[in-house]
Amino acid sequence: MPHKPTAPHRPKPSNIRATYAVALALGIPLQGCTLHGAPSREIFGAYFPLWLLAGIIGLVGALLAHRLSVAMRWSQILPLQLSVCLSIGVTVAGLVWLVGTGQLL
């Protein structure tokens, strides 16, 4: 006797609506931006997003930390130099973000 293939299980329409309702109810509090928009700063007459400014300043901080460690010859004795410079850059970027949004000072 040949095997008869079965159709895939499809949920009932009421279950689908309930799933969408739960997803919508859980997703509403997770909205990202407020009504006044993302924080930005005016630089040379144009608005520049603060997250991008913080990232660029953090990158410069990491590069300066690397150059300082090479100039002071700490790079020869400093283990995991990439991790150290990266953490310094992330710390600088975080501080710029906190100061820029007014949450630190």
Side-chain angles (χ1 to χ4, degrees), residues 1 10 13 15 17 25-27 29 36 42 48-49 52 54 58 65-66 71 74 82 84-85 91 93 96 98-100:
M1 183 171 189
R10 294 186 181 178
N15 289 342
R17 280 188 230 119
L26 292 175
H36 63 275
E42 186 177 347
F48 200 69
L52 192 56
H66 173 69
W74 295 338
L82 177 64
V84 170
C85 291
T91 302
V96 168
L98 289 174
V99 169

Side-chain angles (χ1 to χ4, degrees), residues 11 34 37 41 44 51 73-74 79 81 85 99:
T34 60
R41 295 290 173 247
F44 300 119
W51 63 267
R73 298 183 194 261
W74 295 338
Q81 185 178 3
C85 291
V99 169

Side-chain angles (χ1 to χ4, degrees), residues 19-98:
T19 303
Y20 285 144
V22 169
L24 181 65
L26 292 175
I28 287 175
L30 299 177
Q31 292 181 356
C33 294
T34 60
L35 294 177
H36 63 275
S40 59
R41 295 290 173 247
E42 186 177 347
I43 300 176
F44 300 119
Y47 288 103
F48 200 69
L50 186 60
W51 63 267
L52 192 56
L53 184 64
I56 291 171
I57 293 174
L59 179 66
V60 170
L63 291 173
L64 287 175
H66 173 69
R67 291 295 173 197
L68 181 67
S69 67
V70 169
M72 301 295 281
R73 298 183 194 261
W74 295 338
S75 59
Q76 297 169 355
I77 59 172
L78 184 67
L80 303 172
Q81 185 178 3
L82 177 64
S83 298
V84 170
C85 291
L86 180 66
S87 64
I88 290 171
V90 168
T91 302
V92 168
L95 288 173
V96 168
W97 175 262
L98 289 174

